[in-house]
PDB file of all heavy atoms in Angstrom:
ATOM      1  N   MET A 159      -1.734 176.164-108.807  1.00 42.00           N
ATOM      2  CA  MET A 159      -0.716 175.334-108.254  1.00 42.00           C
ATOM      3  C   MET A 159       0.597 175.541-109.079  1.00 42.00           C
ATOM      4  O   MET A 159       0.565 175.439-110.267  1.00 42.00           O
ATOM      5  CB  MET A 159      -1.115 173.875-108.408  1.00 42.00           C
ATOM      6  CG  MET A 159      -0.157 172.944-107.648  1.00 42.00           C
ATOM      7  SD  MET A 159      -0.754 171.243-107.777  1.00 42.00           S
ATOM      8  CE  MET A 159       0.607 170.511-108.609  1.00 42.00           C
ATOM      9  N   LEU A 245     -11.797 167.426-112.687  1.00 98.00           N
ATOM     10  CA  LEU A 245     -10.972 168.625-112.858  1.00 98.00           C
ATOM     11  C   LEU A 245     -11.548 169.770-112.043  1.00 98.00           C
ATOM     12  O   LEU A 245     -10.780 170.476-111.323  1.00 98.00           O
ATOM     13  CB  LEU A 245     -10.864 169.004-114.339  1.00 98.00           C
ATOM     14  CG  LEU A 245      -9.939 168.113-115.128  1.00 98.00           C
ATOM     15  CD1 LEU A 245     -10.133 168.337-116.655  1.00 98.00           C
ATOM     16  CD2 LEU A 245      -8.458 168.439-114.769  1.00 98.00           C
ATOM     17  N   SER A 248     -10.903 169.275-108.355  1.00 98.00           N
ATOM     18  CA  SER A 248      -9.495 169.413-107.967  1.00 98.00           C
ATOM     19  C   SER A 248      -9.138 170.847-107.725  1.00 98.00           C
ATOM     20  O   SER A 248      -8.083 171.128-107.115  1.00 98.00           O
ATOM     21  CB  SER A 248      -8.636 168.803-109.056  1.00 98.00           C
ATOM     22  OG  SER A 248      -8.528 169.687-110.153  1.00 98.00           O
ATOM     23  N   ALA A 249      -9.939 171.751-108.228  1.00 97.00           N
ATOM     24  CA  ALA A 249      -9.687 173.204-108.179  1.00 97.00           C
ATOM     25  C   ALA A 249      -8.427 173.623-108.884  1.00 97.00           C
ATOM     26  O   ALA A 249      -7.883 174.699-108.641  1.00 97.00           O
ATOM     27  CB  ALA A 249      -9.690 173.665-106.666  1.00 97.00           C
ATOM     28  N   LEU A 250      -7.942 172.815-109.825  1.00 97.00           N
ATOM     29  CA  LEU A 250      -6.817 173.129-110.608  1.00 97.00           C
ATOM     30  C   LEU A 250      -7.267 173.650-112.001  1.00 97.00           C
ATOM     31  O   LEU A 250      -8.405 173.365-112.413  1.00 97.00           O
ATOM     32  CB  LEU A 250      -5.922 171.955-110.841  1.00 97.00           C
ATOM     33  CG  LEU A 250      -5.221 171.292-109.624  1.00 97.00           C
ATOM     34  CD1 LEU A 250      -4.268 170.213-110.072  1.00 97.00           C
ATOM     35  CD2 LEU A 250      -4.499 172.320-108.789  1.00 97.00           C
ATOM     36  N   GLU A 251      -6.359 174.360-112.672  1.00 95.00           N
ATOM     37  CA  GLU A 251      -6.635 174.730-114.050  1.00 95.00           C
ATOM     38  C   GLU A 251      -6.078 173.607-114.969  1.00 95.00           C
ATOM     39  O   GLU A 251      -5.179 172.839-114.515  1.00 95.00           O
ATOM     40  CB  GLU A 251      -5.841 176.014-114.393  1.00 95.00           C
ATOM     41  CG  GLU A 251      -6.185 177.216-113.573  1.00 95.00           C
ATOM     42  CD  GLU A 251      -7.644 177.648-113.763  1.00 95.00           C
ATOM     43  OE1 GLU A 251      -8.121 177.548-114.927  1.00 95.00           O
ATOM     44  OE2 GLU A 251      -8.280 178.083-112.829  1.00 95.00           O
ATOM     45  N   ASP A 252      -6.597 173.555-116.154  1.00 95.00           N
ATOM     46  CA  ASP A 252      -6.092 172.525-117.106  1.00 95.00           C
ATOM     47  C   ASP A 252      -4.524 172.640-117.245  1.00 95.00           C
ATOM     48  O   ASP A 252      -3.838 171.637-117.374  1.00 95.00           O
ATOM     49  CB  ASP A 252      -6.637 172.731-118.505  1.00 95.00           C
ATOM     50  CG  ASP A 252      -8.197 172.508-118.538  1.00 95.00           C
ATOM     51  OD1 ASP A 252      -8.721 172.052-117.466  1.00 95.00           O
ATOM     52  OD2 ASP A 252      -8.805 172.751-119.577  1.00 95.00           O
ATOM     53  N   SER A 253      -4.087 173.857-117.194  1.00 95.00           N
ATOM     54  CA  SER A 253      -2.653 174.103-117.364  1.00 95.00           C
ATOM     55  C   SER A 253      -1.782 173.605-116.210  1.00 95.00           C
ATOM     56  O   SER A 253      -0.590 173.552-116.254  1.00 95.00           O
ATOM     57  CB  SER A 253      -2.385 175.582-117.593  1.00 95.00           C
ATOM     58  OG  SER A 253      -2.907 176.305-116.550  1.00 95.00           O
ATOM     59  N   ASP A 254      -2.454 173.280-115.062  1.00 97.00           N
ATOM     60  CA  ASP A 254      -1.706 172.691-113.936  1.00 97.00           C
ATOM     61  C   ASP A 254      -1.496 171.179-114.055  1.00 97.00           C
ATOM     62  O   ASP A 254      -0.748 170.609-113.250  1.00 97.00           O
ATOM     63  CB  ASP A 254      -2.518 172.922-112.644  1.00 97.00           C
ATOM     64  CG  ASP A 254      -2.599 174.399-112.271  1.00 97.00           C
ATOM     65  OD1 ASP A 254      -1.630 175.130-112.475  1.00 97.00           O
ATOM     66  OD2 ASP A 254      -3.648 174.790-111.803  1.00 97.00           O
ATOM     67  N   ILE A 255      -2.150 170.566-115.004  1.00 98.00           N
ATOM     68  CA  ILE A 255      -2.046 169.126-115.130  1.00 98.00           C
ATOM     69  C   ILE A 255      -0.701 168.741-115.846  1.00 98.00           C
ATOM     70  O   ILE A 255      -0.513 169.212-116.976  1.00 98.00           O
ATOM     71  CB  ILE A 255      -3.281 168.526-115.903  1.00 98.00           C
ATOM     72  CG1 ILE A 255      -4.583 168.857-115.203  1.00 98.00           C
ATOM     73  CG2 ILE A 255      -3.127 166.994-116.118  1.00 98.00           C
ATOM     74  CD1 ILE A 255      -4.737 168.224-113.783  1.00 98.00           C
ATOM     75  N   TRP A 284      -2.986 169.192-124.504  1.00 97.00           N
ATOM     76  CA  TRP A 284      -2.367 169.953-123.416  1.00 97.00           C
ATOM     77  C   TRP A 284      -0.828 169.937-123.547  1.00 97.00           C
ATOM     78  O   TRP A 284      -0.137 170.553-122.739  1.00 97.00           O
ATOM     79  CB  TRP A 284      -2.764 169.372-122.044  1.00 97.00           C
ATOM     80  CG  TRP A 284      -4.182 169.636-121.692  1.00 97.00           C
ATOM     81  CD1 TRP A 284      -5.025 170.610-122.223  1.00 97.00           C
ATOM     82  CD2 TRP A 284      -4.963 168.961-120.695  1.00 97.00           C
ATOM     83  NE1 TRP A 284      -6.239 170.522-121.629  1.00 97.00           N
ATOM     84  CE2 TRP A 284      -6.281 169.572-120.654  1.00 97.00           C
ATOM     85  CE3 TRP A 284      -4.706 167.924-119.801  1.00 97.00           C
ATOM     86  CZ2 TRP A 284      -7.247 169.155-119.772  1.00 97.00           C
ATOM     87  CZ3 TRP A 284      -5.688 167.528-118.911  1.00 97.00           C
ATOM     88  CH2 TRP A 284      -6.971 168.120-118.917  1.00 97.00           C
TER      89      TRP A 284
END
Side-chain angles (χ1 to χ4, degrees):
M159 189 178 118
L245 283 166
S248 74
L250 297 186
E251 300 296 325
D252 295 355
S253 55
D254 293 322
I255 300 297
W284 288 343

